Structure formats: C-alpha cells, structure tokens
Amino acid sequence: MNLNTITTVKRPATANEVGEWEAGNAWLAGGTSLFSEPQPTTNTLIDLEQLGWPALQVSSDGLEIAATCRIMDIYRLKSSTEWAAGPLLRECCDALLASFKIWNAATVGGNLCLSLPAGAMISMVTALEGTLTLWARDSTPRMDSALDFVTGNHRNVLQAGELLRSIHLPATALAKRYALRRASLVKLGRSAALLIGTRGNDGDLLLTITASTPRPIQLAFGGIPTADELRRAIASAIPDDGYFDDVNGLPDYRRHLTYYFAEQIRVELAQSGSKA
Ligand SMILES: Cc1cc2nc3c(=O)[nH]c(=O)nc-3n(C[C@H](O)[C@H](O)[C@H](O)COP(=O)(O)OP(=O)(O)OC[C@H]3O[C@@H](n4cnc5c(N)ncnc54)[C@H](O)[C@@H]3O)c2cc1C
C-alpha cells in the first residue's frame, strides 16, 4: 500500500551516514510488513539495501547471515553436508505464511525485528543457538543471543535507531540432529505452535518453543528427559496463562500443541544416536 506519511526515503551507502536518529525514522528492509499497513508515526524510511552486506557467508565456524538476507536466499542455500540441521533452514522458510512475493522481498532481519510470535526466522536462529550483532547509532556493536532478542509480541531489545546487522549460527549447532513440529489453524496460516528440538553427539537435548508463546522459550536437558520430566520442565517455564492469544489460536489450543509436539520431538530424538 502507499504510505502517505512518508516524505523522505534515504539510501545510505554506510550505516554511519545515517547520523543521529530522529523520531519518525524507520529502517526499511524488504518492506513486506512496513508497506502492509499505515505507518502514521513514520515520515522517513532508511533503506538498508544499498549497504550491500553479503547475504550469506559459510565458514568452518558456521553460517553468517546478514540482516538484509532474503528469506529466499536462506531457502536456496546449499547447506554443508556436515550440517545435519541444514534442512531445518528450509523448513523454517516453509513455516512462514507467505506468497512467493513475500519470500522474495522479506528479510531475515525484518522477520526478527518485527518480532511476531509466528516469526519462523526467530524460531530458526533461536533453535540453532544464534548470536546477533546489533549496531547502535554511535556505531558501538553489541552482541545478543537470539534467545534473548525477542521480549514479547512485537517487542525486542533494540534501542531507538539500533540496527540488527547480522546473525551467526555456530557450526556446532548446525551439526546437531533436529526435529520440527508445527501447526496452524489453516493450511497456509500463521503458526499456532512451532517447536524445534536439537540433539548433539554428547546427547544433550535443546527444545525451543515458539509461536505458542509471545517470545521464544528454550529448555536445555543434559540427555533425553522422561516424558514426565519434560512435562514438568515445560510447566515450570510456561505458566498456564503464558500462552499467546490471537486469531491464529486460543491459548488452550497452543498449550495442548506445545505439550503434544514436545513429546513427539522427545521420542523422535531419543531414537537413533541416543545415549539416553
Ligand atoms: C501476507 C503476509 C504474510 C506474512 N506472514 C508472516 C508470518 O507467517 N510470520 C511472520 O513473522 N511475519 C509474517 N509477515 C510479516 C512480514 O512480512 C515478515 O515478518 C517479514 O519477514 C518482514 O521482513 P521485511 O524485510 O519485509 O521487514 P520490513 O517490513 O522492511 O521491516 C519490518 C520491521 O523491522 C524493522 N527492521 C527491518 N530490518 C531491520 C534491521 N536490520 N534492524 C533494525 N530494524 C529493522 C523495520 O523498521 C520494521 O519495523 C507476513 C506479511 C504478509 C504481508
């Protein structure tokens, strides 16, 4: 849609060119959210495209994803054979309610910064133990764990004008086996619950709960827990009134899915390669 409050669009070549942050500024990435509804408090868009950050960089350390990387680039990435969790990247792209137009424009950073419970890029980088690099307006970088970035529905740790620069996924996390479960009320709807379990060679189990809660919840186990231990861990991390409530699912439904999928993931990852 046309945004009739916008009077200026800036296309800086470097983030430093932006200078002091003013009320009414907004970073523009793919624009799929920004252009989907009126932005009455925004008068200036600062387009990130000209910054020219390389979308994806693979190294022995893992995967570096620029905030401006398109979801389509993640989908098309030919992952290393050493990454048992490589297919998870594509499965998370599939978990977004999106037409090909959205996929081609939407960025990983935009998905994180929008901070919706159903943000599947949030699920992906949290489950894969990502670390985020954030740039303050005075150019001081700071690191944050993906798990701590989103603090609630449409809420995150970004300060005014702070820019999400990149996400690092460590090779150790990409090498883990994984299991994903997801449900939405309608076939191509936003996720009501999206759970991902990963398991390393040391037998640990990391369970990441997203979409059913306003922000990601992660449970770490030294081995495969019993079904009862798993249920108790979820209950102590998420109170009964801690489930998200919107048109994509009632809290009771999301709570049910969370326990149901968590148990399926527990059983699946306990199977081959288990030390439990
Ligand atoms: C039909 C449709 C379906 C959708 N389905 C889903 C869905 O299932 N799940 C979901 O989570 N979202 C969904 N969305 C919302 C949105 O399209 C996606 O979240 C998308 O990934 C946003 O990325 P973008 O690059 O287009 O962000 P933009 O629209 O450009 O920006 C989104 C917000 O993030 C800020 N921002 C962007 N990049 C940065 C950065 N690097 N640093 C700091 N701030 C930044 C912007 O200022 C803005 O506030 C959907 C949208 C549409 C129109």
Side-chain angles (χ1 to χ4, degrees):
M1 70 181 301
N2 291 332
L3 298 180
N4 57 15
T5 53
I6 305 299
T7 54
T8 312
V9 178
K10 295 182 180 173
R11 295 197 168 83
T14 69
N16 287 342
E17 264 179 42
V18 176
E20 210 157 299
W21 193 256
E22 289 174 24
N25 285 0
W27 299 113
L28 170 64
T32 60
S33 166
L34 279 173
F35 285 100
S36 69
E37 56 187 1
Q39 305 292 338
T41 58
T42 305
N43 56 41
T44 302
L45 294 177
I46 303 172
D47 194 342
L48 301 175
E49 192 159 15
Q50 306 298 318
L51 299 178
W53 296 334
L56 293 164
Q57 293 175 284
V58 177
S59 72
S60 54
D61 283 347
L63 178 63
E64 195 76 16
I65 306 172
T68 45
C69 172
R70 313 268 160 196
I71 290 174
M72 184 51 95
D73 296 326
I74 293 280
Y75 189 79
R76 290 191 178 138
L77 176 71
K78 207 168 167 349
S79 69
S80 158
T81 48
E82 286 164 22
W83 295 353
L88 177 60
L89 305 179
R90 191 175 264 222
E91 284 187 47
C92 288
C93 297
D94 277 327
L96 283 168
L97 154 68
S99 67
F100 74 93
K101 282 190 287 190
I102 301 289
W103 261 27
N104 276 304
T107 64
V108 176
N111 191 257
L112 267 74
C113 295
L114 194 60
S115 303
L116 294 177
M121 296 297 102
I122 301 167
S123 317
M124 177 184 87
V125 302
T126 306
L128 291 174
E129 301 162 50
T131 306
L132 313 186
T133 300
L134 312 177
W135 280 359
R137 281 300 69 234
D138 64 1
S139 299
T140 319
R142 68 175 171 124
M143 313 292 274
D144 192 26
S145 78
L147 177 62
D148 295 334
F149 180 74
V150 176
T151 54
N153 180 29
H154 267 302
R155 292 209 317 267
N156 57 50
V157 300
L158 286 175
Q159 304 291 318
E162 204 169 19
L163 185 59
L164 170 59
R165 167 63 183 87
S166 58
I167 304 109
H168 176 74
L169 303 182
T172 45
L174 286 160
K176 292 183 177 179
R177 294 190 299 124
Y178 76 95
L180 177 148
R181 294 291 187 279
R182 169 185 182 261
S184 57
L185 278 178
V186 291
K187 189 165 181 283
L188 292 174
R190 283 195 186 170
S191 303
L194 199 172
L195 276 73
I196 299 169
T198 59
R199 190 160 193 222
N201 286 336
D202 56 2
D204 68 315
L205 174 71
L206 198 60
L207 179 69
T208 305
I209 299 168
T210 56
S212 56
T213 49
R215 52 162 305 208
I217 302 290
Q218 201 162 57
L219 303 174
F221 302 91
I224 294 290
T226 63
D228 192 46
E229 284 167 345
L230 178 65
R231 289 186 68 81
R232 279 191 275 119
I234 297 172
S236 90
I238 313 173
D240 281 350
D241 62 359
Y243 290 87
F244 190 53
D245 185 7
D246 77 352
V247 292
N248 300 297
L250 292 171
D252 281 352
Y253 171 62
R254 293 180 193 257
R255 179 179 180 280
H256 168 75
L257 289 175
T258 299
Y259 281 83
Y260 181 68
F261 287 157
E263 174 58 14
Q264 287 191 347
I265 288 171
R266 185 190 76 83
V267 170
E268 180 175 329
L269 290 179
Q271 284 168 4
S272 56
S274 166
K275 288 188 175 176

